[in-house]
Each structure stands twice: as structure tokens, then as C-alpha cells.
């Protein structure tokens, strides 16, 4: 079977191609159109997937779609009737796009794919999520838990995957949704739904859980078996275009925060409180699934599975020995899940289980040749050094990083999913006390409270981070060297005999940073953090870890090893190569533009390295920190 999977029309449209059960390519439409979270039909992503596989549309055995539009339309119709007359306005607003587009999804697919006339397979939304979680996982058999805002009707589901089969056993239905609960607080705190949830999670450690009791009493009935029901009178998502209304304001001390206005203690406490409730719910659901199935392994997908703080608690405190999370856990991953459903269930392809997983490190997107990259640099008039071979490249870039420079790193195939995993990344030395604020304000143009993730050599991870649990792919670690600036490699050594750590290859687990101390209140917590790795230590002493192996990550692992050899620190700051409001860079020209317009010090793109020092003085720093802060309303 050769199957093209598609997801679109809500957010994060994507395409994925599976051939003979193997994932060949996957990409999000936003990377091509440069429209963040682009929901439109993934024309460009589909064309890329076909080109990567060397196929034409006529070569496909099936095209799979990630949900069933008629079931979703049924939910909208029944919800509007159930909430009549309050739901009438929302129904009227929704109808034009349904009557002109979504109800005709089969016709749209065939037309947009240039007259494709083969089989169409429609998978239910949560089945697509579950398939994206289980089928690429390294497990022959495992429990599966999916949680998001809403699919057709389901908002949470669990079941068991076994070989090439998937049995969904229980669901929770709209309007009761853990994802919509979290999104309600996201918008109430002044962030955008479907993109600001990361900000809410990052803000949570600045606050106190003052509102947990109010949430548990007035918003959600969370039961010991992990099932839950929302008190729907406090929400307006079923009847309007907003998530919350007057009842929310009464419960939480007034109107919602205006976007871009100053953050106050209330927003910090709200973020901390809903985060605590969601973590409790995830743990309760996992314990119920474990009790019902007896499985020792768990696979996660759905938007809530991107809550890496909850994932970290689940691994440390939950009942499962091993947990694997789909790196593209949101709607983009639904395209991959639909393709896998068609391949393994509709087409009866066998499933081959990989010892690590089948995601190829998440590197499923486009790549660019050195000649294409050179052309982009020449077109912009940038000077550059060209390095012959990977060893020379990583040595030069490791030198820049050791000197405290920030480097845009554009190498190999692009990542699939929301995380940059060492192919489209901005990298920096994690030991600098000012790195976190400087990169946020001068390069990312985003709020200074937001944390950065560490990428660490997997064999050294346990010396610096406490991920706990069994995880996936336990490794023995060697001796640790100090991240405190000692370039001899003879620095802080681990006191843990033969430390071990679960792998966290996709930056989806949070755990404590060893030796970190915290203090202060509110935004002052940032200055109170004491850590050997201050740039990647959040205000609660935690970090969202990416473990890097030579087998999975290749050149990125070599760079970390080179940096370790020069500094005694096997850790780098790794954040996505983009600026606020834009998707991760796609083409070389995108990388050049971000390099030009930000305070980034260097660009390593293919075998070429450009530094700001190579440019005329006037081109080296386009904006001052004060100008950036004023333009974006940052602190």
C-alpha cells in the first residue's frame, strides 16, 4: 500500500505519505505558505510528500483523511439544537464554510490532488490520533490514550494497540473536553487558542495553585477513574465564538486579560491552577487505563499530549513502565495517523516494529542541496565560509557556541511537528545567565518569561536531568563534565553511580534539573533561579529535555559532542528557528531573512557558515532590545 494522509480545515493542516507501512515523508502546510497554523488544504505539503517518494497521484493506492466530516457536522447541528436559541448565532456563522467546503471534502480532495480518482478512506479523528501514537511506537503492544479539544464527538479516548490492530474501548464526548478546558484558560489569560497553550504552560510555574479548588468545584467534575464532566454553564464554546463568558469572569475576579497587556499575579495563578488540574486528570486517566488493560506501556497523542509537564509527571508518577508520545501529537499528526489506519487496517499492510520508533527522528520534511543553499546566500549577497565535511562544520560551529554566540542551525530534512529537534534550530550555550532573556527578546521577539529547552547527549542526560520512570530506551551514562565554563572537561561530576535516564527524543518530557534552586515570587522568580544551566532551567527548576543520539540525530549529536569536547558541557539551548508569529523556517531564504532581521550572531546552513562579524557594521544588529520590546509589547 502507498497511502497519502491529509488533515486540514481546522488548524495545522498537513500531509503524510506511508509506503509498505513505512513513513516516507510528512510536512505541515504552514511551512510552505508561511501562515502559522495554516488550516487550508495541504496542497504544498501533499506535493512535497509525493515528490519525496518519487510518485505521482496516480500511483497512490488510497488517500486517507483524518476525520469524518459528516459526523462533525452532526455534532454541530445537534449542539446548536441542544443549546437553542443561544446556539443559533454560532450555527449560522458556521454554515457558510460547511455548505461550501467541509461537506464536500471528498470532492475537494479529488480536485486539489489534480483529479485523483482512487479510493478515499476516512478515519475518525481520535482513531487517527491513536494510530499516530501506536503504529510508529517501538511497542508491539501498548495501551493508547488520546486527549484533545474535540474531534467529531470524542474529546478523549483510550484503547489497546496490538501488532497492526487498534481497539478503541472508551471515549468521552463533547462538550466535556480537557483540551477545551485548557484552551478556555489560554484565551482568558490573553493568549490565542491553538497556539498560546504553550505560553500558558510556560507561565504556570510563576504562579500559585490558588484556583484549583474553584476549578474543581465549578468547572470540572474529575472522577477517580479519570472520567470527567465540565460544568458547561461556565463556558460559551458550544454557543458562540468565545470560550468563556460572564460566569468565568465572576469566578476569577473580572474580565479576561487583554492580549499583549501586562501579565499579573491572577494570570500566573490561573495558569498554575489549570495546569495542576490537567496534570491530575491525565494521571487519573492513565491509572484507569492501566487498571483496565494491564498494559505496561502507554502511547499518547492529541493536543493535550503536547503538554510536556503533564507527560513528565506521568512518566515519574504514573503506573506505566514506558511512555511514548507522538512528536506531532496535534492535528498535523492526524494526517500521519489516517495514512497508517488506511495502510494497516483498510489495506492490511503488516506492521514492522522498530527498536527505537518509526518516526526517523521526526525528520520527515524537505531538505535542500548545498547548491540550492549557496544560491540563496548569493542572492542575498551574504558572505560565507564553506566547510568541507561534517567534522569541519561542527568544529567551527562549536567554537562559535563556546564563544557565547547564538547560531541558526539549518541542516538536513525538516522536522514534522511543532518542535525543532536539531535540524531547524536556534542554538546557544546554556551556561550564560543572560542567554534566556537575550534570545527571547532579540531573536525570538517573544515574552521573556518563556523557557528554552535543552538538547543533551543521551548518554549524559541523567547527570543533569531527572526524567525518572522507565521511559523508552534506557541508556547507561558516562562521567559528567561541568557546564560551568570549565573547558578542561573536568568539572562537575555526577554523584550518581551509573546514572540512567529515559530517552526523550522529541522534547516532550519535563523533569527537574539536578542541583537547581529556585525562589522569589511572580516574574521575580526568573532572577532567583540558580543552576549550572541557567538558560534552560525554568523558574520551578525544571527543563523540557531533548535527548540526542548518534543513531537518531546524526550531525546534531556530532555538534553536541564537539561542544562538550571544547567546554565540558554536553548540553545546548535548542529553540525553534523562527520569530514570533511565524512558522519554523522552511527554505534557505527564510533562514537568511531571520538571520538578517534579528540579533542572531551566526547562521550555519548546510556546509556554509555566516557570521554577523562578516557583515558591514550597519547590518549587524537591525534592532535594539528597547525597539523590539516596544514593538511587541514585551517586558
Amino acid at each position: 500500500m502507498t497511502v497519502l494522509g491529509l488533515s486540514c480545515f481546522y488548524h495545522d493542516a498537513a500531509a503524510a505519505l506511508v509506503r509498505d507501512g513505512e513513513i516516507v515523508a510528512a510536512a505541515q502546510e504552514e511551512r510552505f505558505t508561511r501562515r502559522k497554523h495554516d488550516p487550508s488544504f495541504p496542497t504544498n505539503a501533499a506535493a512535497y510528500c509525493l515528490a519525496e517518494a518519487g510518485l505521482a497521484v496516480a500511483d497512490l493506492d488510497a488517500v486517507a483523511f483524518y476525520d469524518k466530516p459528516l459526523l462533525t457536522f452532526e455534532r454541530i447541528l445537534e449542539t446548536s439544537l441542544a443549546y437553542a436559541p443561544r446556539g443559533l448565532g454560532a450555527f449560522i456563522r458556521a454554515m457558510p464554510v460547511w455548505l461550501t467546503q467541509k461537506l464536500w471534502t471528498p470532492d475537494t480532495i479529488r480536485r486539489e490532488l489534480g483529479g485523483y480518482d482512487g479510493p478515499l478512506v476516512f478515519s475518525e479523528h481520535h482513531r487517527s490520533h491513536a494510530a499516530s501514537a501506536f503504529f510508529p511506537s517501538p511497542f508491539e503492544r501498548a495501551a493508547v490514550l488520546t486527549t484533545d479539544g474535540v474531534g467529531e464527538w470524542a474529546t478523549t479516548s483510550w484503547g489497546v494497540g496490538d501488532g497492526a490492530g487498534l481497539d478503541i474501548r472508551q471515549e468521552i464526548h463533547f462538550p466535556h473536553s480537557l483540551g477545551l478546558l485548557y484552551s478556555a484558560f489560554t484565551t482568558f489569560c490573553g493568549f490565542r487558542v491553538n497556539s498560546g497553550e504553550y505560553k500558558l504552560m510556560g507561565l504556570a510555574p510563576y504562579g500559585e495553585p490558588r484556583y484549583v479548588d474553584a476549578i474543581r468545584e465549578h468547572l470540572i467534575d474529575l472522577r477517580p477513574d479519570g472520567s470527567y464532566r465540565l460544568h458547561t454553564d461556565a463556558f460559551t464554546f458550544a454557543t458562540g465564538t468565545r470560550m468563556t463568558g460572564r460566569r468565568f469572569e465572576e469566578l476569577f475576579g473580572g474580565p479576561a486579560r487583554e492580549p499583549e497587556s501586562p501579565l499579573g499575579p491572577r494570570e500566573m495563578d490561573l495558569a498554575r491552577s489549570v495546569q495542576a488540574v490537567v496534570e491530575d486528570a491525565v494521571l487519573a486517566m492513565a491509572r484507569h487505563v492501566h487498571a483496565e488493560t494491564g498494559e505496561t506501556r502507554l502511547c499518547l497523542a492529541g493536543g493535550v499530549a503536547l503538554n510536556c509537564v503533564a507527560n513528565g509527571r506521568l512518566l515519574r508518577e504514573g503506573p506505566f513502565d514506558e511512555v511514548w508520545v507522538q512528536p506531532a501529537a496535534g492535528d498535523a499528526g492526524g494526517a500521519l495517523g489516517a495514512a497508517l489506519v488506511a495502510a494497516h487496517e483498510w489495506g492490511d499492510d503488516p506492521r514492522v516494529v522498530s527498536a527505537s520508533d518509526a518516526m526517523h527522528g521526526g525528520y520527515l520534511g524537505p531538505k535542500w542541496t548545498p547548491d540550492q543553499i549557496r544560491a540563496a546566500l548569493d542572492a542575498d549577497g551574504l558572505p560565507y565560509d564553506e566547510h568541507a565535511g561534517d567534522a569541519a562544520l561542527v568544529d567551527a560551529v562549536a567554537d562559535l557556541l563556546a564563544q557565547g554566540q547564538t547560531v541558526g542551525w539549518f541542516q538536513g530534512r525538516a522536522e514534522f511537528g511543532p518542535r525543532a529537534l536539531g535540524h531547524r534550530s536556534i542554538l546557544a550555550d546554556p551556561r550564560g545567565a543572560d542567554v534566556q532573556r537575550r534570545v527571547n527578546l532579540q531573536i525570538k521577539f517573544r515574552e521573556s518569561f518563556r523557557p528554552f529547552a535543552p538538547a543533551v547527549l543521551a548518554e549524559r542526560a541523567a547527570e543533569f536531568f531527572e526524567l525518572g520512570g522507565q521511559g523508552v530506551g534506557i541508556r547507561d551514562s558516562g562521567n559528567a563534565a561541568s557546564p560551568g565554563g570549565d573547558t578542561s572537561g573536568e568539572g562537575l561530576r555526577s554523584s550518581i553511580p551509573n546514572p540512567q535516564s529515559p530517552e526523550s527524543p522529541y522534547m516532550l518530557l519535563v523533569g527537574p534539573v539536578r542541583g537547581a534552586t529556585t525562589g522569589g515570587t511572580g516574574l521575580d522568580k526568573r532572577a532567583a533561579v540558580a543552576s549550572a544551566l541557567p538558560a534552560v532551567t525554568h523558574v520551578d527548576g525544571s527543563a523540557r529535555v531533548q535527548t540526542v543520539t548518534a543513531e537518531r540525530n546524526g550531525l546534531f549529536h556530532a555538534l553536541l559532542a564537539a561542544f562538550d569536547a571544547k567546554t565540558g558541557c554536553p548540553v545546548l539551548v535548542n529553540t525553534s528557528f523562527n520569530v514570533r508569529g511565524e512558522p519554523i523556517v522552511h527554505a534557505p531564504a527564510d533562514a537568511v531573512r531571520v538571520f538578517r532581521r534579528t540579533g542572531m550572531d551566526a547562521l550555519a546552513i548546510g556546509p556554509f557558515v555566516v557570521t554577523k562579524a562578516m557583515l558591514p557594521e550597519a547590518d549587524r544588529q537591525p534592532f535594539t532590545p528597547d525597539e523590539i520590546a516596544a514593538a511587541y509589547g514585551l517586558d
Side-chain angles (χ1 to χ4, degrees), residues 331-357:
D331 273 14
L336 175 59
L340 291 168
V341 166
H344 294 307
E345 299 184 347
W346 183 80
D348 203 29
D349 270 358
R351 173 176 175 248
V352 178
V353 179
S354 170
S356 55
D357 61 49

Side-chain angles (χ1 to χ4, degrees), residues 502-593:
E503 286 191 354
S504 178
Y506 302 118
M507 211 181 281
L508 287 169
L509 295 174
V510 165
V513 178
R514 294 193 187 277
T517 60
T518 62
T521 59
L523 291 177
D524 292 337
K525 288 184 176 184
R526 180 72 253 164
V529 173
S531 168
L533 304 170
V536 296
T537 304
H538 203 15
V539 296
D540 59 352
S542 72
R544 173 166 52 90
V545 180
Q546 179 193 4
T547 55
V548 177
T549 68
E551 298 79 13
R552 179 182 284 112
N553 307 104
L555 188 64
F556 190 41
H557 182 275
L559 177 62
L560 276 162
F563 183 72
D564 182 26
K566 294 176 184 295
T567 65
C569 177
V571 184
L572 285 171
V573 172
N574 178 13
T575 186
S576 57
F577 197 158
N578 68 323
V579 297
R580 176 177 167 137
E582 293 186 1
I584 296 173
V585 296
H586 170 68
D590 301 326
V592 168
R593 186 180 67 254

Side-chain angles (χ1 to χ4, degrees), residues 11-12 30 36-37 183 186 191-200 450 581:
H11 57 88
D12 295 301
E30 67 166 19
K36 196 165 186 177
H37 305 298
S183 291
T186 298
F191 306 124
R192 293 185 62 183
V193 172
N194 293 327
S195 62
E197 285 80 3
Y198 302 130
K199 297 183 182 182
L200 196 73
R450 296 180 63 183

Side-chain angles (χ1 to χ4, degrees), residues 204-211 265 268-273 520-522 525:
Y206 289 91
E208 301 298 328
R210 304 184 195 282
Y211 297 105
M268 298 174 197
D269 294 345
L270 287 170
R272 175 70 178 275
S273 299
T521 59
K525 288 184 176 184

